[in-house]
């Protein structure tokens, strides 16, 4: 079983602010972390590798410093790490990102499974996983809360969908996007950390993937983010105190007043 | 302070801190309250390779030495000394095998201990033999290819949880301390049972239990070193484990200092933060200085051991006595800084104060440590070494 776990380095959103003037994320001084959903994707990959044998390859696209999450993946048990880094990849939307990651999966062939988090906490699109599947023309199993089994060239999963659980079986290879319900991620091990420290991360650029600049980065991106804004802060509401009778009168006045105003 | 630790040891600290944050802090209060052994956390430590660090590489360890164990024990104790005790007691139990075991004994037991799949415990203390190891009553009688053990060991850390026990028993009671021998006894051996689990003041996330031997027959090959060397095995084991107890004390004290610093920066009285009061500032400054001094002494002894220095009995005793006295003082001061809140179980410092106390008592009371230090000083003076 050869498993790719596609992951993204994201700003720790607990620490992110939005520049009120330029409507952009203020990333200065914000720590970067492995996208939290991807941690679960990694655990899922490691879990099935441990059970079935084979190897887990951690894959990411990003600037050179994105290497940090690959090393983290290796410290948790990933066998290999591949960084896709090139100026030509910069500014990619989810389409171009998916194309680029899919090209790397093709280069890593044969691959049986791609696990990735259901979405990244910075973009919140949930499109890259499905995009990789589309680009590879593989089945996609999204919002997976539990992988029930991998056997005989098939994978059986539970998708947690609105109002229920859908059990799906698919042929391999496939792309699976996972939820935090899927597992409990392991801690790094000391031997993993020692391996990660000395690891030379494989880095591939556009030439290594055999892609054309028109297919990657900003040039390969059909969509543009034209603006980003913080929602207006909601006012705190008002608190009224009194007996039920008094409050009923206040409430009626407020509702009627609002109606009159409208 | 920068102690110029190796990258491996720094990685151990980082890993232990992460485990403490994610796995230990959320449960430490509950484990303490319920007097419960931390099985889940032992599994996490095992999966993270932390039982491998002090075991040589040829026995599936990482061979990172005494310093690695000190840093792990310190960092885990910073969050919970009870859990750290359950962890570090394995090194104590494994030490007689590490120091004096045959290659066969090492091959048989150390890989399992390195993986954390089996835990170890050290059995020296008895109802009438603690600091006075010469008073051991447990007997081991040679019978053909076996030894037959009879007697009771008391207050054994990891008792009932460990799979491998290193036990000191008398093979020749007439000779007193020179008649003691060390043995390996496995959990499940017929005639080996566990007595009551103790209800302790502190380190309650560790198991402390009686070991009972009733005609317990073990293979003669489980003898460690030679007959009559048991007392020496025990003393060398304790010399080697004392920096670990010192490190545990440093960790407890650091944890209390951390908590006191945060509290003092948030608590307001008379309209100001209490860390703006010189009375509190002086306490915090003294606490931090004592913790750092204890750490420096502890690491220095660990470095001596890792450098292969043969004689470090005095220095190991100094580190243990100093660091444990610091832990008691600093945790008491932390409770004081927290005031009434510090006395309540909702805040972690009262547990730290209870936990600190044991470090002045176990693995040789601080009075015994001072005896050891003084007898070394006197001997050095008499021999002209000073």
């Amino acid at each position: 079983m050869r498993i790719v776990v596609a992951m993204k380095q994201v700003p720790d959103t607990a620490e992110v602010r939005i520049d009120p003037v330029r409507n952009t994320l203020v990333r200065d001084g914000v720590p970067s972390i492995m996208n939290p959903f991807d941690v679960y994707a990694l655990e899922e990959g490691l879990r099935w590798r441990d059970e079935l044998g084979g190897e887990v390859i951690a894959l990411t696209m990003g600037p050179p410093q994105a290497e940090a999450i690959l090393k983290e993946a290796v410290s948790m048990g990933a066998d290999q790490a591949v960084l896709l880094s090139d100026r030509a990849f910069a500014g990619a939307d989810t389409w171009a990102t998916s194309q680029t990651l899919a090209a790397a999966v093709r280069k890593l062939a044969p691959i049986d499974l791609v696990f990735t988090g259901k979405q990244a906490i910075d973009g919140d699109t949930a499109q890259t996983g499905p995009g990789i599947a589309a680009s590879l023309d593989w089945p996609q199993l999204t919002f997976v809360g539990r992988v029930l089994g991998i056997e005989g060239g098939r994978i059986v999963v539970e998708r947690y969908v609105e109002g229920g659980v859908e059990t799906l079986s698919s042929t391999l290879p496939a792309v699976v996007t996972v939820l935090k319900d899927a597992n409990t991620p392991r801690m790094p091990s000391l031997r993993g950390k020692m391996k990660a420290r000395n690891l030379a991360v494989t880095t591939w650029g556009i030439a290594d993937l055999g892609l054309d600049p028109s297919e990657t980065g900003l040039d390969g991106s059909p969509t543009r983010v034209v603006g980003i804004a913080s929602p207006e802060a909601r006012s705190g509401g008002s608190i009224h105190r009194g007996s039920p009778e008094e409050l009923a009168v206040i409430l009626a006045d407020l509702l009627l007043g609002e109606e009159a105003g409208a | 302070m920068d102690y110029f630790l190796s990258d491996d040891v720094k990685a151990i600290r980082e890993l232990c801190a992460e485990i403490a944050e994610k796995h230990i802090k959320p449960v430490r209060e509950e484990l303490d309250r319920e007097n419960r052994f931390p099985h889940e956390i032992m599994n996490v430590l095992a999966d993270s390779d932390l039982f491998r660090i002090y075991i040589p590489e040829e026995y599936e360890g990482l061979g990172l030495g005494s310093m690695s164990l000190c840093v792990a024990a310190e960092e885990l104790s910073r969050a919970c000394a009870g859990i750290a005790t359950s962890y570090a007691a394995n090194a104590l139990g494994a030490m007689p095998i590490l120091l004096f075991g045959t290659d066969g004994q090492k091959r048989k037991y150390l890989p399992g201990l390195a993986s954390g799949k089996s835990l170890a415990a050290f059995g020296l203390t008895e109802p009438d033999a603690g600091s006075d190891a010469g008073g051991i009553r447990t007997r081991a009688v040679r019978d053909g290819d076996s030894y037959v053990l009879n007697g009771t060991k008391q207050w054994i850390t990891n008792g009932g949880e460990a799979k491998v026990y290193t036990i000191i028993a008398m093979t020749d009671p007439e000779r007193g301390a020179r008649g003691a021998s060390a043995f390996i006894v496995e959990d499940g051996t017929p005639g080996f049972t566990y007595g009551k689990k103790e209800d302790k003041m502190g380190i309650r996330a560790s198991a402390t239990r009686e070991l009972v031997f009733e005609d317990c027959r073990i293979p003669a090959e489980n003898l460690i070193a030679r007959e009559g060397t048991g007392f020496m095995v025990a003393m060398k084991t304790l010399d080697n484990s004392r920096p670990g107890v010192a490190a545990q004390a440093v960790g407890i004290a650091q944890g209390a200092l951390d908590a006191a610093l945060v509290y003092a920066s948030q608590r307001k009285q008379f309209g100001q933060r209490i860390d703006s009061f010189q009375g509190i500032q002086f306490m915090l400054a003294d606490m931090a200085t004592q913790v750092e001094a204890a750490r420096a002494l502890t690491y220095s002894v660990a470095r001596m051991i890792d450098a292969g220095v043969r004689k470090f009995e005095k220095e190991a005793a100094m580190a243990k006595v100093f660091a444990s006295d610091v832990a008691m003082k600093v945790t008491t001061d932390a409770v004081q800084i927290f005031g009434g809140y510090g006395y309540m179980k909702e805040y972690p410092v009262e547990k730290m104060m209870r936990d600190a106390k044991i470090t002045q008592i176990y693995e040789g009371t601080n009075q015994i440590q001072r005896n050891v230090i003084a007898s070394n000083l006197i001997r050095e003076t008499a021999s002209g070494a000073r």
Side-chain angles (χ1 to χ4, degrees):
Chain A
M1 182 77 34
R2 274 169 61 83
I3 300 168
V4 165
V5 179
M7 51 184 62
K8 183 179 187 184
Q9 189 179 45
V10 295
D12 191 345
T13 47
E15 317 254 350
V16 158
R17 292 176 299 115
I18 290 182
D19 182 325
V21 181
R22 293 150 77 197
N23 274 340
T24 52
L25 292 176
V26 180
R27 297 199 182 205
D28 290 345
V30 176
S32 291
I33 56 170
M34 188 189 298
N35 173 41
F37 293 104
D38 297 342
V39 181
Y40 293 80
L42 174 61
E43 175 59 34
E44 205 56 32
L46 296 172
R47 185 163 90 84
W48 288 102
R49 178 216 47 200
D50 292 348
E51 181 134 346
L52 303 171
E55 60 178 344
V56 167
I57 302 151
L59 173 68
T60 193
M61 184 182 93
Q65 57 267 30
E67 184 181 277
I69 60 164
L70 295 177
K71 292 202 163 190
E72 197 182 331
V74 169
S75 76
M76 283 174 68
D79 302 281
Q80 284 188 55
V82 178
L83 171 67
L84 309 179
S85 197
D86 197 310
R87 285 188 175 281
F89 298 157
D93 68 359
T94 57
W95 169 269
T97 302
S98 306
Q99 299 290 317
T100 308
L101 289 168
V105 173
R106 260 184 234 113
K107 189 175 161 78
L108 288 164
I111 295 296
D112 302 286
L113 261 169
V114 174
F115 282 114
T116 190
K118 70 152 180 164
Q119 68 194 60
I121 58 165
D122 55 351
D124 275 335
T125 66
Q127 289 172 353
T128 304
I132 296 169
S135 177
L136 293 168
D137 199 21
W138 289 3
Q140 52 175 286
L141 306 158
T142 53
F143 298 95
V144 168
R146 210 145 73 94
V147 178
L148 298 175
I150 300 174
E151 216 185 340
R154 297 191 75 88
I155 181 168
V156 183
V157 304
E158 285 181 353
R159 295 185 70 226
Y160 291 3
V161 294
E162 191 84 39
V165 174
E166 189 176 79
T167 305
L168 283 185
S169 167
S170 162
T171 53
L172 294 179
V175 176
V176 178
T177 77
V178 302
L179 307 177
K180 288 188 178 181
D181 309 78
N183 53 53
T184 307
R186 67 193 63 189
M187 297 294 298
S189 74
L190 195 56
R191 286 185 294 188
K193 275 179 170 286
M194 290 159 105
K195 184 178 169 194
R197 197 192 318 133
N198 300 315
L199 179 81
V201 170
T202 306
T203 304
W204 289 340
I206 188 162
D208 299 299
L209 297 181
L211 293 171
D212 186 86
S214 65
E215 300 171 286
T216 66
L218 199 59
D219 289 346
S221 297
T223 64
R224 293 281 185 280
V225 176
V226 289
I228 183 166
S230 298
E232 260 180 55
R234 291 170 64 169
S235 64
S238 56
I239 296 171
H240 302 272
R241 291 174 212 283
S243 67
E245 290 78 11
E246 290 162 355
L247 289 172
V249 171
I250 292 168
L251 187 60
D253 283 350
L254 278 170
L255 290 170
L256 292 170
E258 212 166 80
E259 201 170 82
Chain B
M1 192 169 294
D2 194 336
Y3 293 98
F4 304 101
L5 302 175
S6 71
D7 287 344
D8 288 337
V9 172
K10 282 183 194 157
I12 289 170
R13 189 188 294 286
E14 199 181 284
L15 188 56
C16 289
E18 196 178 341
I19 291 171
E21 210 53 49
K22 283 192 186 153
H23 294 272
I24 297 179
K25 285 187 181 170
V27 299
R28 63 182 175 185
E29 190 197 334
E30 182 186 327
L31 292 173
D32 176 67
R33 189 173 58 240
E34 296 177 1
N35 203 22
R36 190 146 53 82
F37 188 81
H39 291 109
E40 309 80 9
I41 294 167
M42 291 298 113
N43 288 336
V44 172
L45 298 176
D47 290 343
S48 302
D49 297 326
L50 285 165
F51 289 103
R52 296 186 192 279
I53 59 178
Y54 52 86
I55 290 181
E57 286 172 283
E58 57 263 48
Y59 305 109
E60 298 180 24
L62 292 168
L64 298 174
S66 182
M67 182 63 93
S68 74
L69 181 62
C70 282
V71 167
E74 177 191 341
E75 204 58 43
L76 296 175
S77 298
R78 194 170 172 180
C80 176
I83 290 166
T85 299
S86 297
Y87 164 74
N90 289 282
L92 178 66
M95 200 62 79
I97 304 175
L98 280 166
L99 294 175
F100 301 103
T102 61
D103 185 55
Q105 288 168 338
K106 288 179 180 173
R107 275 188 200 295
K108 184 167 178 190
Y109 294 106
L110 295 183
L113 298 178
S115 73
K117 297 279 177 280
S118 65
L119 302 182
F122 178 62
L124 169 66
T125 304
E126 297 187 3
D128 295 317
S131 300
D132 176 13
I136 290 171
R137 300 254 174 89
T138 297
R139 285 292 313 268
V141 177
R142 179 85 189 222
D143 180 24
D145 284 345
S146 322
Y147 282 94
V148 178
L149 272 62
N150 277 288
T152 302
K153 292 289 173 184
Q154 185 173 253
W155 302 331
I156 305 308
T157 305
N158 279 357
E161 303 293 344
K163 293 275 177 263
V164 180
Y165 295 80
T166 45
I167 301 294
I168 309 297
M170 284 294 179
T171 40
D172 188 354
E174 320 263 277
R175 301 189 65 205
R178 287 169 190 279
S181 303
F183 298 93
I184 303 167
V185 184
E186 295 180 32
D187 171 57
T189 307
F192 174 26
T193 54
Y194 305 106
K196 69 167 177 183
K197 186 175 171 183
E198 304 292 346
D199 189 9
K200 305 187 292 292
M201 174 196 239
I203 55 164
R204 290 168 60 81
S206 69
T208 308
R209 243 171 128 167
E210 250 177 11
L211 312 181
V212 182
F213 302 99
E214 292 166 304
D215 293 329
C216 172
R217 187 174 286 272
I218 58 167
E221 68 197 33
N222 285 16
L223 172 71
I224 297 173
R226 284 171 291 106
E227 274 193 26
T229 61
F231 186 67
M232 184 274 294
V233 169
M235 291 306 111
K236 294 282 179 197
T237 290
L238 292 171
D239 286 346
N240 276 276
S241 72
R242 268 176 199 136
V245 178
Q248 186 183 16
V250 171
I252 296 170
Q254 182 68 56
L257 173 61
D258 297 341
L261 281 166
V262 171
Y263 182 81
S265 72
Q266 292 168 349
R267 172 73 170 171
K268 286 196 172 142
Q269 291 285 275
F270 307 103
Q272 333 174 35
R273 288 161 45 162
I274 64 168
D275 66 4
S276 68
F277 302 132
Q278 202 174 45
I280 299 287
Q281 288 174 352
F282 280 12
M283 284 175 83
L284 291 168
D286 283 344
M287 289 158 78
T289 306
Q290 288 158 2
V291 172
E292 209 58 70
R295 182 179 288 120
L297 186 53
T298 303
Y299 287 3
S300 299
V301 182
R303 284 217 159 93
M304 283 174 78
I305 297 175
D306 290 342
V309 172
R310 293 178 66 90
K311 208 169 153 19
F312 52 86
E313 180 191 48
K314 179 183 71 182
E315 291 80 3
M318 286 173 163
K320 194 270 188 188
V321 78
F322 186 76
S324 59
D325 285 351
V326 161
M328 199 65 245
K329 170 108 183 34
V330 167
T331 54
T332 306
D333 287 347
V335 169
Q336 191 66 28
I337 287 171
F338 271 72
Y341 291 108
Y343 202 68
M344 303 299 152
K345 286 192 186 284
E346 287 103 296
Y347 289 84
V349 287
E350 69 81 34
K351 171 184 178 293
M352 291 169 177
M353 186 174 162
R354 286 186 284 113
D355 288 347
K357 186 65 206 171
I358 193 62
T359 63
Q360 294 180 305
I361 298 172
Y362 69 3
E363 295 196 34
T365 63
N366 281 9
Q367 287 67 35
I368 287 288
Q369 306 305 317
R370 290 181 169 95
N371 281 347
V372 169
I373 297 164
S375 65
N376 271 278
L377 291 171
I378 293 163
R379 215 179 308 132
E380 287 165 10
T381 305
S383 69
R386 295 194 77 80

